[in-house]
Amino acid sequence: MQPTLLTLKILLPFGIFAEKADVSRIVAETREGSFGLLPHRLDCVAGLTPGILIYENKAEGEVYVAVDEGVLVKTGPNVLVSVRNALGGTDLGQLREAVEREFLNRNEREQNVRSVMARMESGFIRRLAEFHHE
């Protein structure tokens, strides 16, 4: 009897980054640390942080994918990973640098933009209230 293996699908907002069959294990990063999946693990959901997702299959061996924050859902033999961005590569050091450079800096820029937008919105509302009282 052949053991059941996992099917991994990495989804991006604009398409499918990767779809892999016969995956024997997956390791992802969460806020609590590394999170491993084997084929017979119970179904689960995990929030992912920017980091390195590792999967292993017979055809490619161990593969590294840099992923942005997102969510991992395991249902039966199917694992869906939905992230905002992903980068593939073979050099683990370069992928780690890409995560720090691209994903973490992007999050800081997005927080700055949100802060500026909140100040603009509050200023607009204040001026609108002043106009309404006149």
Side-chain angles (χ1 to χ4, degrees):
M1 182 173 169
Q2 185 175 357
T4 304
L5 296 175
L6 300 168
T7 300
L8 171 66
K9 189 183 280 189
I10 301 173
L11 306 172
L12 300 175
F14 51 84
I16 298 173
F17 178 78
E19 191 168 0
K20 303 295 178 178
D22 300 326
V23 175
S24 58
R25 72 182 181 96
I26 299 169
V27 179
E29 294 184 30
T30 68
R31 291 183 194 269
E32 289 78 32
S34 292
F35 177 73
L37 290 172
L38 294 172
H40 294 290
R41 183 182 175 109
L42 293 176
D43 293 351
C44 61
V45 175
L48 302 179
T49 58
I52 305 296
L53 180 127
I54 303 168
Y55 69 88
E56 184 174 357
N57 64 11
K58 200 170 194 176
E60 300 171 279
E62 193 169 75
V63 178
Y64 305 104
V65 179
V67 295
D68 202 350
E69 64 186 357
V71 65
L72 177 146
V73 178
K74 180 188 183 297
T75 54
N78 299 312
V79 178
L80 295 175
V81 175
S82 180
V83 293
R84 293 190 306 172
N85 202 358
L87 300 169
T90 55
D91 187 318
L92 191 56
Q94 289 178 347
L95 279 177
R96 175 63 69 186
E97 289 174 14
V99 167
E100 291 172 358
R101 184 178 58 249
E102 295 294 324
F103 301 158
L104 298 178
N105 289 337
R106 181 178 301 142
N107 289 342
E108 289 175 17
R109 286 191 305 266
E110 287 175 358
Q111 287 177 351
N112 290 338
V113 168
R114 280 193 284 268
S115 174
V116 168
M117 291 299 292
R119 285 193 302 258
M120 288 173 58
E121 288 172 359
S122 66
F124 175 74
I125 291 171
R126 186 179 62 248
R127 281 189 228 115
L128 186 61
E130 289 171 3
F131 178 72
H132 181 65
H133 289 310
E134 289 180 358

